[in-house]
């Protein structure tokens, strides 16, 4: 008996995912689908995030292909499931990346500029936090308006209300809060961006920013920035229901 249209679509999408896993695992012997999922989930954050779906798809594939009663197929995927596996196949094999969506001009400060100049820049750029680099473009941390305020309250009291003549680096050294920042390459997938934020959250930490550079190195010029304010757009792009 021929398969239904839904089963055909399901199996086609399933084959795309399975072929991609085989290509990436690169084994010289046969590996079962369940073992492929287990292995690649340890190699790739995107596959790890969708592992539950992949395991369920494997069970359904077996029911469609191998299980019969009097020669009749006993399992038939609903349209919603078909659309899910097709969407996941696209997410995994043709993923959307941070480039070009989040590439833009990034304002930043050098660590040796004066606090007065930094405050003027923060005001004109309307930023509450900004990346700081030394002159060799090594990342030094984030300067935040909270850190500036905290510093000024202490310094002005000690300096008879004169604006303190200090550099950005001196202010940052006195910032008592750790501002967690991660760097990703411009080819990083949006799924991996989600994973960066969620992995910090699972550890009880706040990820303030993801800075995009050409290769994901902290000593490269910033090409874009992703913050928690960008998550709704990313979730919408990836169909957030799949990630819950």
């Amino acid at each position: 008996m021929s398969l239904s249209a839904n089963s055909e679509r399901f199996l086609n999408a399933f084959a795309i995912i399975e072929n991609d896993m085989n290509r990436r695992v690169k084994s010289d012997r046969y590996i079962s689908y369940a073992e492929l999922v287990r292995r690649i989930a340890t190699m790739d954050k995107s596959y790890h995030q969708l592992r539950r779906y992949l395991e369920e798809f494997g069970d359904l594939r077996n029911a469609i292909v191998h299980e019969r009663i009097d020669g009749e197929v006993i399992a038939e995927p609903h349209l919603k499931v078909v659309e899910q596996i097709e969407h996941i196949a696209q997410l995994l094999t043709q993923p959307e990346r941070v480039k070009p969506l989040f590439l833009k001009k990034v304002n930043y400060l050098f660590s040796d500029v004066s606090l007065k100049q930094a405050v003027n820049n923060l005001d004109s750029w309307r930023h509450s936090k900004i990346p700081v680099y030394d002159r060799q473009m090594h990342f030094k941390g984030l300067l935040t308006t909270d850190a500036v305020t905290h510093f000024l309250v202490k310094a002005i009291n000690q300096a008879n209300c004169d604006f303190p003549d200090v550099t950005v680096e001196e202010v940052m050294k006195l910032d008592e809060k750790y501002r967690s920042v991660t760097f990703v390459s411009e080819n990083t997938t949006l799924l991996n961006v989600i994973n960066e934020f969620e992995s910090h959250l699972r550890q009880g930490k706040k990820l303030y920013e993801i800075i995009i550079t050409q290769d994901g190195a902290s000593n490269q010029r910033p090409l874009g920035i992703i913050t928690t304010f960008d998550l709704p757009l990313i979730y919408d792009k990836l169909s957030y229901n799949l990630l819950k």
Side-chain angles (χ1 to χ4, degrees), residues 76-170:
E76 168 69 12
H78 295 293
L79 179 59
K80 179 180 178 180
V81 174
V82 172
E83 291 173 344
Q84 273 187 341
I85 192 172
E86 289 175 338
H87 182 60
I88 287 175
Q90 184 174 14
L91 284 178
L92 295 174
T93 63
Q94 302 176 52
E96 288 209 57
R97 303 183 185 276
V98 298
K99 179 184 179 180
L101 185 62
F102 289 105
L103 297 193
K104 58 187 176 183
K105 179 184 176 183
V106 176
N107 293 318
Y108 57 89
L109 293 170
F110 288 117
S111 57
D112 59 358
V113 305
S114 71
L115 175 60
K116 186 173 183 179
Q117 179 182 335
V119 169
N120 288 335
N121 286 343
L122 283 168
D123 181 57
S124 63
W125 292 335
R126 298 184 181 277
H127 291 339
S128 61
K129 55 184 177 294
I130 192 165
V132 177
Y133 294 80
D134 65 19
R135 294 290 174 173
Q136 289 72 48
M137 290 307 297
H138 294 105
F139 180 73
K140 305 297 289 185
L142 288 180
L143 178 69
T144 68
T145 51
D146 286 346
V148 171
T149 301
H150 180 72
F151 180 88
L152 287 175
V153 167
K154 287 188 173 182
I156 290 177
N157 285 337
Q158 297 170 2
N160 297 320
C161 294
D162 290 331
F163 201 95
D165 183 19
V166 296
T167 65
V168 166
E169 186 168 20
E170 291 174 88

Side-chain angles (χ1 to χ4, degrees), residues 122-244:
L122 283 168
D123 181 57
S124 63
W125 292 335
R126 298 184 181 277
H127 291 339
S128 61
K129 55 184 177 294
I130 192 165
V132 177
Y133 294 80
D134 65 19
R135 294 290 174 173
Q136 289 72 48
M137 290 307 297
H138 294 105
F139 180 73
K140 305 297 289 185
L142 288 180
L143 178 69
T144 68
T145 51
D146 286 346
V148 171
T149 301
H150 180 72
F151 180 88
L152 287 175
V153 167
K154 287 188 173 182
I156 290 177
N157 285 337
Q158 297 170 2
N160 297 320
C161 294
D162 290 331
F163 201 95
D165 183 19
V166 296
T167 65
V168 166
E169 186 168 20
E170 291 174 88
V171 176
M172 293 172 60
K173 284 180 179 178
L174 294 180
D175 186 5
E176 298 175 352
K177 291 186 178 180
Y178 175 69
R179 320 279 179 175
S180 184
V181 174
T182 294
F183 294 81
V184 300
S185 78
E186 60 186 3
N187 290 317
T188 296
T189 67
L190 296 186
L191 268 176
N192 282 342
V193 167
I194 293 293
N195 187 72
E196 289 289 347
F197 280 105
E198 293 187 348
S199 63
H200 276 73
L201 189 61
R202 287 193 294 271
Q203 297 171 42
K205 301 176 182 177
K206 178 181 178 180
L207 179 58
Y208 279 75
E209 289 185 349
I210 294 179
I211 298 178
I212 305 165
T213 62
Q214 182 177 339
D215 302 312
S218 62
N219 61 345
Q220 294 177 320
R221 191 175 300 277
L223 303 177
I225 289 178
I226 302 173
T227 71
T228 53
F229 293 105
D230 298 307
L231 289 178
L233 172 61
I234 297 175
Y235 285 141
D236 183 62
K237 288 262 181 196
L238 300 181
S239 294
Y240 180 51
N241 287 337
L242 290 176
L243 306 180
K244 291 183 177 179

